[in-house]
Amino acid sequence: MIGFLKLPRVAIPARVVAWMFLALPTVGAHATTFTVTSSDDTAGTTCAANCTLRQAITAANADANPASTINFHIPQAKVHRIKIDTALPNVDHPTTINGYSQIDSQPNTLISGDDRVIKIELTPNSNSAKDLGLYITADNCTVKGLAIFGFTTGIRIGSSAANTAYNATISGNFIGLPADGTTDVGTFGGSGILVNAANNSTIGGTSPAARNVIANYFGGVRSFSTNTTNVPMDVMVVNNYIGTDAQGVLDRSNVVGILISDGASGWTVGLDAAPNLIAHSLIEGLQLYGSSTKNRFFANDFVGNAGQGIDLIPNNVTGKTPNDPDDGDTGPNNLQNFPVLSAASQEYDSLLLNATLDVPHTSVVTLQTFTIGVYASSVCNASGNGPGELYLGNRPAGVIDGGSVKNEGFSISLPAHPPHLSQITTTATDSAGNTSEFSNCVTVQPGNGIFKNGFEPEF
Ligand SMILES: [Ca+2]
Ligand SMILES: [Ca+2]
Ligand SMILES: [Ca+2]
Ligand SMILES: [Ca+2]
């Protein structure tokens, strides 16, 4: 926001005022805007008429106002590739870096697919600049509208010092892809977005404009911590395409789509209103290691991942983790048991599911309520569980294993599913937010009921 300039009550020649507006950053009551006008990588402490991204970050870091904005106004309407010679300064002041401020760019407006136009690319110019693209070390920073590729880590949020970069927003970017969102520019080994001390940060967001596309990394999104004081908590990863091109179609594999470890907890990966597409991972879609708990995985579509969609990984042992009696085991997401599906049937306009969930035994009769995520797939994984290609919705399920009463069976119904995706699989999430791996698959059967108007479903 551009505020008013508080000028002293003295006469200032018009020529001087004009110069001030041209050459000085725009100062508002609470924020300063610095405008990048050059794709060069010249260093300097001020962001004057000819300002590089490096100069703008340096100037923002010294900004006396509590927040800064870095906009782009580089002449010519082409894609501008900013090639970094050495590591950029950390973004160490609350700053919004907005690639969509560049002329002729626009955020995505499509719920499915992509019509964004990105005009600012960030890539290394040499091996010595390859380690890291943007390094955010202040709270309340936003990065949007950039194509960042060629770095071992695209964006790092938070250093290993405690409390360094809370409330960051990374939205509307291509990470691991150039500005066209599709050209294969190689693979980068590290992490698209590395999340360190970055509590309450958001990767993506609920609007189409907020979607990131994250591709060609070892870990598309990866948590990172070195001790208990810099564990990233309560991070949202929603509405991203992970492992595809911008349209969500072509294979632009990460090795793992999302990797959460080292006690990172309280993450929300996918919302009903903002699902992620997690596709083409060379091993698993989503891995959860160690003591990380209360991580909710909802509403994500897992397509073409070589391994499981969701893998809870105790003691570094990957693969399907079997249910245990009464679910007393501990580990990532407390190794929440998955439902055991016995039947799925199509009754006119509803999909009916019957299942059981082995929950902890309680001394008194207690209704235990879980959220069951329901997914359809074309083919079941070789493991017998997953993959969960299309999220259909979730429903609450109440079960009892208390005192002498044991009723761990439940039934739920959802609207009819696409007939070509005949394999149904589910997850269970407890009230604390621990989501299970995927359940077994069952094939949808025609129901026993009488179909209206002679309608016969095809399977
Ligand atoms: Ca497992
Ligand atoms: Ca039980
Ligand atoms: Ca268990
Ligand atoms: Ca357990």
Side-chain angles (χ1 to χ4, degrees):
M1 294 301 116
I2 297 173
F4 59 89
L5 256 178
K6 219 172 188 178
L7 295 175
R9 288 178 179 275
V10 293
I12 300 175
R15 191 167 52 86
V16 175
V17 173
W19 174 85
M20 289 174 71
F21 275 94
L22 267 179
L24 285 182
T26 310
V27 181
H30 303 292
T32 311
T33 297
F34 301 93
T35 302
V36 176
T37 56
S38 165
S39 58
D40 293 344
D41 190 32
T42 314
T45 56
T46 57
C47 180
N50 189 42
C51 178
T52 65
L53 177 60
R54 184 179 299 277
Q55 290 166 336
I57 293 172
T58 306
N61 286 345
D63 187 7
N65 267 327
S68 310
T69 297
I70 294 176
N71 283 339
F72 296 81
H73 193 146
I74 305 178
Q76 298 181 18
K78 62 176 188 176
V79 171
H80 294 280
R81 182 167 292 186
I82 299 175
K83 292 174 152 181
I84 302 304
D85 293 320
T86 59
L88 286 169
N90 299 357
V91 179
D92 201 27
H93 183 74
T95 299
T96 295
I97 300 177
N98 182 11
Y100 289 122
S101 56
Q102 174 67 21
I103 189 167
D104 286 344
S105 61
Q106 70 159 53
N108 175 45
T109 64
L110 304 177
I111 290 172
S112 180
D114 198 282
D115 64 354
R116 84 185 74 188
V117 180
I118 286 183
K119 294 289 190 182
I120 303 292
E121 294 179 333
L122 189 61
T123 195
N125 199 27
S126 65
N127 269 340
S128 62
K130 239 174 119 174
D131 284 355
L132 181 52
L134 285 175
Y135 190 4
I136 296 167
T137 53
D139 292 348
N140 302 313
C141 288
T142 295
V143 177
K144 58 185 175 183
L146 301 180
I148 299 176
F149 63 95
F151 300 98
T152 304
T153 299
I155 298 177
R156 176 171 174 174
I157 317 171
S159 75
S160 291
N163 315 338
T164 53
Y166 286 8
N167 309 314
T169 302
I170 311 296
S171 66
N173 301 287
F174 293 150
I175 314 283
L177 290 167
D180 67 11
T182 184
T183 300
D184 201 340
V185 284
T187 55
F188 312 117
S191 306
I193 300 177
L194 188 68
V195 185
N196 198 173
N199 294 13
N200 299 309
S201 290
T202 300
I203 297 168
T206 52
S207 69
R211 180 184 306 136
N212 298 295
V213 183
I214 306 167
N216 296 318
Y217 275 95
F218 174 81
V221 176
R222 185 173 185 176
S223 77
F224 176 71
S225 53
T226 55
N227 59 52
T228 55
T229 69
N230 59 44
V231 178
M233 307 295 272
D234 304 315
V235 173
M236 301 256 295
V237 184
V238 297
N239 185 27
N240 301 288
Y241 286 174
I242 298 174
T244 70
D245 69 332
Q247 302 301 326
V249 176
L250 298 176
D251 179 344
R252 297 289 180 265
S253 301
N254 299 295
V255 176
V256 181
I258 300 174
L259 193 160
I260 304 171
S261 64
D262 302 320
S265 296
W267 285 41
T268 298
V269 178
L271 290 169
D272 272 47
N276 298 294
L277 171 61
I278 302 174
H280 306 301
S281 305
L282 296 181
I283 51 175
E284 280 147 342
L286 206 166
Q287 291 188 327
L288 186 68
Y289 283 88
S291 58
S292 294
T293 57
K294 301 179 182 174
N295 297 292
R296 293 171 194 268
F297 310 137
F298 276 139
N300 303 294
D301 297 336
F302 295 91
V303 178
N305 299 296
Q308 289 176 280
I310 299 171
D311 193 3
L312 311 184
I313 302 172
N315 306 315
N316 293 326
V317 178
T318 59
K320 184 167 83 178
T321 303
N323 285 340
D324 62 313
D326 289 336
D327 203 6
D329 55 359
T330 57
N333 273 5
N334 290 333
L335 297 180
Q336 170 62 48
N337 280 353
F338 49 79
V340 177
L341 282 175
S342 51
S345 62
Q346 190 75 46
E347 294 282 2
Y348 183 52
D349 55 358
S350 292
L351 174 67
L352 305 181
L353 300 182
N354 294 318
T356 60
L357 181 60
D358 192 345
V359 300
H361 179 78
T362 56
S363 56
V364 296
V365 175
T366 308
L367 183 70
Q368 301 185 47
T369 303
F370 291 78
T371 304
I372 308 300
V374 183
Y375 299 75
S377 310
S378 53
V379 180
C380 191
N381 271 351
S383 70
N385 296 26
E389 291 170 356
L390 180 70
Y391 173 72
L392 299 179
N394 69 67
R395 291 290 183 273
V399 294
I400 294 170
D401 181 5
S404 59
V405 180
K406 187 162 180 169
N407 183 3
E408 294 180 310
F410 65 89
S411 299
I412 53 177
S413 77
L414 294 96
H417 75 294
H420 65 287
L421 301 175
S422 65
Q423 301 299 309
I424 302 298
T425 183
T426 58
T427 59
T429 303
D430 71 9
S431 56
N434 294 291
T435 299
S436 71
E437 295 184 358
F438 278 106
S439 76
N440 61 310
C441 303
V442 291
T443 305
V444 179
Q445 304 294 334
N448 296 322
I450 298 166
F451 297 104
K452 287 182 187 173
N453 305 323
F455 171 83
E456 291 285 341
E458 293 174 5
F459 297 109

